Amino acid sequence: MVLRDEYFSQLEAFREKKVIKVFTGLRRCGKSFLMQQFIEKLRAEGISDKQIIYFRLDDMENEPLLDYRVLYSTILARITDGRMSYIFLDEVQLCPQFQKAVDSLYNKTQTDIYITGPNSDLLSGELATLLSGRYVTIDMQPFSFAEYLHERTEQALPVDDVLQCYADYVRYGSLPFTVQLKNNAENINQYLNGVYNTILLKDISTRHQINDVSTLEAVIRFMFANTANICTSKKISDTLTSSGRKVSQPTVENYMHYLEECFMVYKLGRYDIKGKEYLKTLSKYYIADTGLRNMLLGYRNIDTGHILETLVFLELKRRKYELYTGKLGDLEIDFVAKTQGSLFYIQVAESVSDASTLERELKPLKKVSDSYPCILITLDRSPNEDYDGVRHLYALDFLQGAGL
């Protein structure tokens, strides 16, 4: 499988540093595999197996380790005196109060600790209290489009027609294992259904003791159908209630938070460009994987414009931009992308070949009064053009790594 350099470089930067490395991200996005790749790299460099302590806590043979005291004592017995011990704990959240074991191991000399978990609140509560300032997160996503193309080559799938690859990427999603299923729609759908149900039942329903799973699913369907749109708990509550499924606004708000927590959706706040202030209302939400959306909602009548905007959002997020939706009077700019020392205003449209669509997309960008770059990203194959100072960027070039 493709070596995910972006995340590997983060691991290397913190290797043997006195911080706990925490892998988080959507289920099946590659956290466990990255951990295994890193272990293999250590072995290739001559690190002894005695120095590598690895436990996958969802494995039946490791069930006794779900007692944090046993987990701690078992690892402690394997720590090698005088040499660095590399400790890897996969699916660590399955061990109640694992925080205590991790904290005690952290306090030992020459321990280098790596843990994975599916929820963003892995570091909430006691662990955050015990280890404040002593951990870093490696926030993983499924394959980028560039990684997807590389993995297709590894799996002997054609990549000559990049536009067709993009269509497959949209249809089947970006979870790494789907590429190995070689575009077999039935197998991919079955696999994605299993991932979805694991998230629904284990990561959300069981974790938060939700009995009315059908209402939770209705909220998921609404948010998946409205990716790249403004979503509010009131709007979802009103929509579901009007369709005969009465659900309170606070309940919907909780469900929306749970979806963020397990990385099924991402929330994007708003920024008032003229007033230079961050707004607390009317956030947008973006799905983490289009394949899960298509498995749940079907592939027909897919909203291709909002899907493209979603993929651009995910790519910007991979590149570590600080992101907001821009508000400029009654107009909206899809993304205000901030990085150290710079800022970009970005509009995304499937096509601007129609003159009225081009005018609509350029209108908010032309009203920006500062000198930061304005960019229009589309799927139009025309050569990059400059629309009165607005740079045009071909979406598939951007998704393959081209800079802003």
Side-chain angles (χ1 to χ4, degrees):
M1 185 176 285
V2 60
L3 185 66
R4 307 189 72 181
D5 294 332
E6 171 192 349
Y7 304 117
F8 237 75
S9 63
Q10 292 180 56
L11 289 176
E12 282 293 347
F14 291 105
R15 176 178 167 179
E16 298 182 10
K17 302 294 192 298
K18 200 60 177 174
V19 289
I20 296 170
K21 278 65 72 174
V22 184
F23 303 62
T24 61
L26 182 70
R27 273 196 181 272
R28 303 295 181 263
C29 72
K31 299 185 295 296
S32 298
F33 198 86
L34 180 68
M35 181 177 276
Q36 289 289 346
Q37 286 181 316
F38 194 67
I39 290 172
E40 290 306 313
K41 184 176 188 297
L42 293 176
R43 287 176 174 145
E45 293 177 0
I47 301 297
S48 166
D49 279 346
K50 292 182 179 180
Q51 294 174 255
I52 298 171
I53 303 168
Y54 169 80
F55 290 112
R56 180 163 182 155
L57 298 186
D58 62 351
D59 193 320
M60 279 289 292
E61 69 181 26
N62 293 323
E63 190 170 349
L65 302 181
L66 299 186
D67 180 326
Y68 75 91
R69 298 176 187 86
V70 177
L71 178 65
Y72 171 71
S73 60
T74 301
I75 294 173
L76 185 63
R78 291 184 53 179
I79 288 178
T80 304
D81 290 336
R83 291 190 292 176
M84 181 66 69
S85 292
Y86 301 87
I87 301 169
F88 297 89
L89 300 176
D90 201 358
E91 298 287 342
V92 71
Q93 80 288 345
L94 294 176
C95 175
Q97 301 187 72
F98 72 88
Q99 302 95 329
K100 294 181 179 180
V102 170
D103 179 47
S104 294
L105 292 167
Y106 172 88
N107 289 326
K108 302 299 178 185
T109 58
Q110 292 190 296
T111 56
D112 195 20
I113 303 174
Y114 303 78
I115 64 178
T116 78
N119 295 309
S120 63
D121 71 343
L122 184 66
L123 293 172
S124 66
E126 189 175 355
L127 184 60
T129 301
L130 289 172
L131 299 175
S132 179
R134 294 185 282 172
Y135 63 84
V136 293
T137 58
I138 311 297
D139 298 320
M140 294 188 65
Q141 291 187 46
F143 277 159
S144 67
F145 186 53
E147 290 173 323
Y148 174 81
L149 291 177
H150 188 286
E151 185 66 6
R152 281 184 67 126
T153 302
E154 293 287 315
Q155 298 300 324
L157 286 168
V159 294
D160 296 337
D161 188 342
V162 176
L163 196 58
Q164 180 58 52
C165 290
Y166 171 76
D168 294 339
Y169 182 69
V170 167
R171 179 163 192 166
Y172 300 124
S174 52
L175 294 181
F177 187 68
T178 60
V179 191
Q180 298 182 48
L181 297 176
K182 299 182 182 295
N183 289 354
N184 183 309
E186 182 178 350
N187 290 347
I188 291 174
N189 194 68
Q190 184 177 359
Y191 170 72
L192 291 174
N193 186 265
V195 174
Y196 169 77
N197 280 303
T198 300
I199 296 172
L200 179 72
L201 299 176
K202 291 180 68 173
D203 296 342
I204 304 179
S205 300
T206 300
R207 179 178 179 80
H208 297 288
Q209 299 180 329
I210 297 172
N211 295 319
D212 188 2
V213 177
S214 62
T215 297
L216 171 61
E217 283 206 270
V219 173
I220 294 173
R221 287 175 177 273
F222 185 98
M223 296 190 74
F224 275 27
N226 287 278
T227 185
N229 283 311
I230 291 172
C231 278
T232 67
S233 55
K234 184 178 187 309
K235 181 178 181 181
I236 297 174
S237 175
D238 289 347
T239 301
L240 297 184
T241 299
S242 67
S243 66
R245 186 187 296 274
K246 187 173 179 59
V247 56
S248 70
Q249 186 177 338
T251 296
V252 172
E253 196 164 320
N254 286 335
Y255 289 175
M256 293 170 75
H257 173 69
Y258 300 156
L259 296 181
E260 286 184 79
E261 184 182 86
C262 64
F263 302 98
M264 287 184 82
V265 300
Y266 292 100
K267 181 179 181 179
L268 183 66
R270 298 167 74 228
Y271 179 74
D272 187 331
I273 296 170
K274 186 175 181 179
K276 306 295 183 185
E277 62 178 340
Y278 302 105
L279 306 175
K280 296 181 179 179
T281 58
L282 302 179
S283 299
K284 280 186 171 183
Y285 286 83
Y286 293 87
I287 58 173
D289 181 69
T290 56
L292 287 172
R293 179 186 193 268
N294 295 330
M295 181 279 301
L296 192 62
L297 303 180
Y299 190 67
R300 296 179 182 177
N301 301 318
I302 188 171
D303 187 346
T304 52
H306 281 147
I307 292 297
L308 176 61
E309 184 181 330
T310 296
L311 296 178
V312 169
F313 165 80
L314 294 172
E315 181 63 25
L316 289 167
K317 188 171 179 62
R318 285 186 189 95
R319 300 186 191 187
K320 307 301 181 185
Y321 284 100
E322 180 183 345
L323 297 172
Y324 300 91
T325 293
K327 178 182 179 297
L328 195 57
D330 59 350
L331 299 174
E332 180 184 283
I333 294 176
D334 291 328
F335 302 113
V336 178
K338 295 184 176 184
T339 188
Q340 281 191 339
S342 191
L343 180 149
F344 299 91
Y345 298 107
I346 302 169
Q347 283 287 83
V348 181
E350 182 180 11
S351 173
V352 291
S353 58
D354 178 76
S356 61
T357 302
L358 176 61
E359 181 181 0
R360 184 186 70 234
E361 297 297 334
L362 292 178
K363 186 176 179 180
L365 295 176
K366 289 182 176 181
K367 288 187 175 294
V368 173
S369 59
D370 59 43
S371 58
Y372 289 113
C374 295
I375 300 172
L376 177 62
I377 299 178
T378 78
L379 281 172
D380 294 325
R381 283 180 170 273
S382 56
N384 290 355
E385 299 178 52
D386 187 334
Y387 299 108
D388 296 325
V390 176
R391 181 187 168 207
H392 174 245
L393 182 58
Y394 182 44
L396 297 192
D397 286 344
F398 173 70
L399 293 176
Q400 290 181 80
L404 294 177

